[in-house]
Amino acid sequence: MSSLKKILLEPRACLVTAKRFRGKINIQRPRLPHFERQLLLDLSKPKYGPPKYTLPDFLLCDRGEKKNKTEIDNPFERILARECLEWFNTSKMIVFLHVNPITMEDKTPVYAALNKNKMYLRTYGKKIVSLATKGTRYEVVNELFTSHQNIIFGQPENAAKMFKILKKAPQLVVMAGVVQDRLLSKNELLEFSQLPTLDLARSKLCQVLDSAGSGLVSQLNRSQQILVSHLDKHVEQQNSSIEKNENQES
């Protein structure tokens, strides 16, 4: 054992020992800090001005002068605005959504389903949309934006599919939409989505026109048919009377 102690270094005893503070700490009247800590507290103490309700009115008046903030030209914002305007020009159906708190786990299936049906969900801020629509026919949609909003770009024939997909995510609320350069409310969009397709409407129109044409032809031919039937009956009556006279003579 002695030889082992000579080989291995002996650990030295710790100079600092933990000692339990036996007295109770007074929370209501704590002990004053030492000089260095008090100096640091005094230097880092925030200084607040007087509250506004204590100031007179002439100090609160800004004389109608508004401080204009200098806007910084951001090239990336211009690129996003150009992309947003391209979406507006190439899409015949634009739907604006109000987004309640939603997780990406719930939003991703909706995004995938819309993309599968050739509808694209995009998120743009108010500044980007105002830059994109300034001086265009879509400038009125800036009233719908307060912050970042979600927009669906697509074609009008997919409106019914869009409402069916959005039922899976009640956090996405339809506010309004633009269909073929016409601003529609939510109720008008619902009515538009329940309308038949263009091909079905054309087929129904052709059926109506065919029925109207056939009815007109039948009405025009009715008098002629009646006249022909009366003439046939008159001829039959004359033939029958001639046959009777011949029989009586014979």
Side-chain angles (χ1 to χ4, degrees), residues 27 48 52 61 73 94 112 115 140 142 191 205 211 216 218:
I27 301 175
Y48 300 102
K52 288 187 176 181
C61 181
D73 185 18
I94 306 165
N115 197 9
V140 69
N142 289 323
E191 293 177 1
L205 179 61
S211 62
L216 180 62
S218 62

Side-chain angles (χ1 to χ4, degrees), residues 203-213:
S203 64
K204 288 184 178 180
L205 179 61
C206 291
Q207 290 177 1
V208 171
L209 293 176
D210 289 339
S211 62

